[in-house]
Amino acid sequence: MAKYFPNVDWQIMWEATNQTLFMTGISVLVTFVLGIILGMLLFLTGKDNMWENKLINTVIGAIVNIFRSIPFIILIVLLIPFTVFLLGTMIGETAALPALIVGAAPFYARMVEIGLREIDKGVIEAAKSMGASTWTIIWKVLLPESLPALVSGITVTAIALVGYTAMAGAIGAGGLGNLAYNYGYQRNQNDVTVVATVIILLIVFVIQFIGDTITAKIDKR
């Protein structure tokens, strides 16, 4: 192995992989929760829905649109003061989490809203006619009916987050992106860049496989 990749320190590569998995895993979990909350609010406060409220819907929609439209590398810079205030540092994998979550949650929220809109209105109306409360409809109708779309959406978002971690790594967040930039690019060690890229691709393939498998099992259509 050393013959083909002379510049690769496998211990450092393993540590960088763990950092990337940490950043991706935590940000996906938080994004999943926040995205469902925001997407559900967008749906419920929309026209002709249970919590219809034009003002709240417009405000949440504007926030979602603004943050999902900002290029991630710029978002990281904009959030530096907030990150330092929250965590006391802007360096390391933990410091990347606020930017990763803020960048991904609005994106996923729109996917959640789209998934909820695809639910047959008749199913919702049937639940209402049987006297189900709003919360019952959310837990027993909206979430179960939209689950395949939610899983498919978080799969796409998770893959995007892997790419975000690589960008965050280039400015000191750690992980495979940081390794590829500091060793592969700045030191002209192309084998380091190649190995880091292959590992990132493997992570993406695994995420896609898991997401597709779960979606196929829960999609009853």
Side-chain angles (χ1 to χ4, degrees), residues 139-195:
W139 288 106
K140 301 293 185 180
V141 178
L142 297 181
L143 289 177
E145 289 292 324
S146 65
L147 194 56
L150 298 184
V151 174
S152 179
I154 199 62
T155 301
V156 173
T157 306
I159 290 172
L161 278 166
V162 174
Y164 287 173
T165 65
M167 283 188 280
I171 59 169
L176 292 166
N178 181 69
L179 192 66
Y181 180 75
N182 286 337
Y183 288 82
Y185 175 71
Q186 291 193 328
R187 301 185 187 183
N188 199 31
Q189 297 176 350
N190 293 328
D191 54 339
V192 175
T193 301
V194 169
V195 172

Side-chain angles (χ1 to χ4, degrees), residues 22-40 64 67-68 72 75 79 96-113 143 149-162 164-165:
F22 169 79
M23 288 187 284
T24 303
I26 298 299
S27 56
V28 165
L29 288 174
V30 179
T31 294
F32 183 69
V33 175
L34 288 180
I36 287 179
I37 293 172
L38 288 172
M40 189 68 72
V64 166
F67 281 102
R68 77 189 184 105
F72 183 69
L75 184 63
L79 289 177
L97 293 177
L100 291 170
I101 294 165
V102 171
F107 173 76
Y108 182 54
R110 281 298 182 191
M111 301 186 80
V112 171
E113 182 191 16
L143 289 177
L150 298 184
V151 174
S152 179
I154 199 62
T155 301
V156 173
T157 306
I159 290 172
L161 278 166
V162 174
Y164 287 173
T165 65

Side-chain angles (χ1 to χ4, degrees), residues 19 22-23 76 79-81 83-85 87-98 168-175 178 182:
Q19 290 169 347
F22 169 79
M23 288 187 284
I76 294 175
L79 289 177
I80 284 175
T83 301
V84 172
F85 170 77
L87 302 172
T89 181
M90 57 170 281
I91 304 298
E93 61 268 28
T94 302
L97 293 177
I171 59 169
N178 181 69
N182 286 337

Side-chain angles (χ1 to χ4, degrees), residues 2-106:
K3 176 183 177 182
Y4 299 104
F5 306 105
N7 298 305
V8 176
D9 185 321
W10 294 101
Q11 179 61 36
I12 294 176
M13 187 66 70
W14 175 246
E15 291 174 359
T17 301
N18 282 334
Q19 290 169 347
T20 294
L21 292 174
F22 169 79
M23 288 187 284
T24 303
I26 298 299
S27 56
V28 165
L29 288 174
V30 179
T31 294
F32 183 69
V33 175
L34 288 180
I36 287 179
I37 293 172
L38 288 172
M40 189 68 72
L41 285 173
L42 281 169
F43 175 76
L44 291 174
T45 58
K47 187 177 180 180
D48 298 327
N49 285 321
M50 289 169 281
W51 292 345
E52 182 178 348
N53 188 308
K54 187 174 181 180
L55 176 61
I56 293 176
N57 186 267
T58 301
V59 170
I60 296 175
I63 293 171
V64 166
N65 288 338
I66 289 170
F67 281 102
R68 77 189 184 105
S69 301
I70 300 173
F72 183 69
I73 197 72
I74 296 175
L75 184 63
I76 294 175
V77 176
L78 291 175
L79 289 177
I80 284 175
F82 173 73
T83 301
V84 172
F85 170 77
L86 190 66
L87 302 172
T89 181
M90 57 170 281
I91 304 298
E93 61 268 28
T94 302
L97 293 177
L100 291 170
I101 294 165
V102 171

